[in-house]
Amino acid sequence: MPIRVEPTFAEALTAADRPLAGMWICSGSPLVAEICAGSGLDWLLIDAEHSPNGLESILAQLQTVHGYPVQAVVRPPVNDTVLLKQYLDLGVQNLLIPMVNSAAEARAAVAAVRYPPHGVRGVGSALARASRWNRIPDYLARASETVSVTVQIESTAAVAAVEEILAVDGVDAVFLGPSDLAASMGLLGEQEHPKVRAAVEHCLDAAKAAGKPAGVNAFNEATAKAYLDAGASFVLVGADVAMLARGSETLAAKFVPAPGPDEEYDGGARPSY
């Protein structure tokens, strides 16, 4: 039975009449991913760079969120040809490649998602979920149409090269990471610094001039709205683990007495009251 190919994140960005809002999925939990998939947000970023996600957990989350009206984007830990091949064979359609600092690195990412002669992706479609085990008609010829590549701009080198990166054929969008960008500017932990925000807005302007979408990570609501006003096409505005951490802290603050002046919580069992 022929299987329908889902639209990519790049196609969703092109078709949208407004910026797309999403959140990070960092817990590694398919259940949490499914809860977030039904939230009404436009897209989810399943992260494997700073989160406990391997091939099996990524596969489980892709299967869990499939069928919900949400785009699933996956961030690998590194721009590596072999790892990207495995992600693609799992059925990852939308990749966010971290730490892309040059046009050459962007071209390497694009080559990794395309079969020869246009790239270097290894051929194993008969064994792979990507082709639904050869149930997608003409998958080998059409594979590049089923994949979108967004590259992450998160260093001063990448900002300096953003026009060249945007010009790479096969780069569908760029995504700005203010936290690592701030660190590379000697402003660790100061992603709201005016110099960092100016660099982000420079990249948003460059993307607009190139005719490609640009997104940004911004958990601060006012900052997110400012970047949207500056031309961001998509944003990440929260994370599952951060929401759970802050929500549970709020509950504790409401219902658990604060330690006395001579008490200090050491991370073990809480004292009884």
Side-chain angles (χ1 to χ4, degrees), residues 105-266:
E105 293 178 6
R107 284 192 291 270
V110 172
V113 308
R114 293 179 171 177
Y115 288 122
H118 306 293
V120 296
R121 179 181 174 185
V123 181
S125 60
L127 311 175
R129 179 175 179 267
S131 70
R132 299 303 188 268
W133 304 277
N134 277 348
R135 289 171 179 161
I136 295 177
D138 300 319
Y139 177 78
L140 289 176
R142 301 174 52 215
S144 62
E145 301 171 14
T146 70
V147 177
S148 74
V149 175
T150 301
V151 300
Q152 195 157 357
I153 306 295
E154 47 187 339
S155 70
T156 54
V159 171
V162 67
E163 288 86 358
E164 291 84 2
I165 292 171
L166 284 160
V168 172
D169 178 52
V171 168
D172 295 299
V174 295
F175 184 77
L176 290 307
S179 294
D180 277 303
L181 178 55
S184 77
M185 298 172 72
L187 298 167
L188 181 64
E190 297 184 59
Q191 54 266 31
E192 300 286 347
H193 193 283
K195 290 183 178 179
V196 178
R197 292 184 64 156
V200 170
E201 290 179 6
H202 165 74
C203 294
L204 294 176
D205 290 340
K208 183 178 180 180
K212 291 187 177 180
V216 63
N217 189 54
F219 285 12
N220 180 288
E221 183 178 351
T223 302
K225 289 181 177 179
Y227 285 142
L228 290 169
D229 289 341
S233 299
F234 55 108
V235 288
L236 287 172
V237 292
D240 56 350
V241 291
M243 294 175 69
L244 180 59
R246 301 295 82 79
S248 58
E249 289 162 4
T250 298
L251 289 175
K254 289 179 179 178
F255 295 103
V256 178
D262 298 325
E263 296 177 300
E264 183 176 346
Y265 178 51
D266 61 4

Side-chain angles (χ1 to χ4, degrees), residues 34-109:
E34 184 172 13
I35 292 169
C36 296
S39 66
L41 288 166
D42 300 303
W43 66 292
L44 305 177
L45 179 60
I46 301 170
D47 183 48
E49 184 183 17
H50 294 296
S51 306
N53 271 312
L55 297 175
E56 290 82 1
S57 64
I58 290 171
L59 173 60
Q61 288 169 85
L62 290 175
Q63 292 171 325
T64 298
V65 306
H66 183 75
Y68 284 87
V70 67
Q71 285 280 333
V73 182
V74 180
R75 182 169 74 168
V78 65
N79 184 9
D80 177 80
T81 299
V82 174
L83 188 59
L84 295 185
K85 172 181 64 179
Q86 292 180 296
Y87 277 38
L88 293 170
D89 284 352
L90 285 181
V92 173
Q93 286 188 257
N94 307 300
L95 288 160
L96 174 63
I97 310 297
M99 292 292 181
V100 173
N101 298 311
S102 67
E105 293 178 6
R107 284 192 291 270

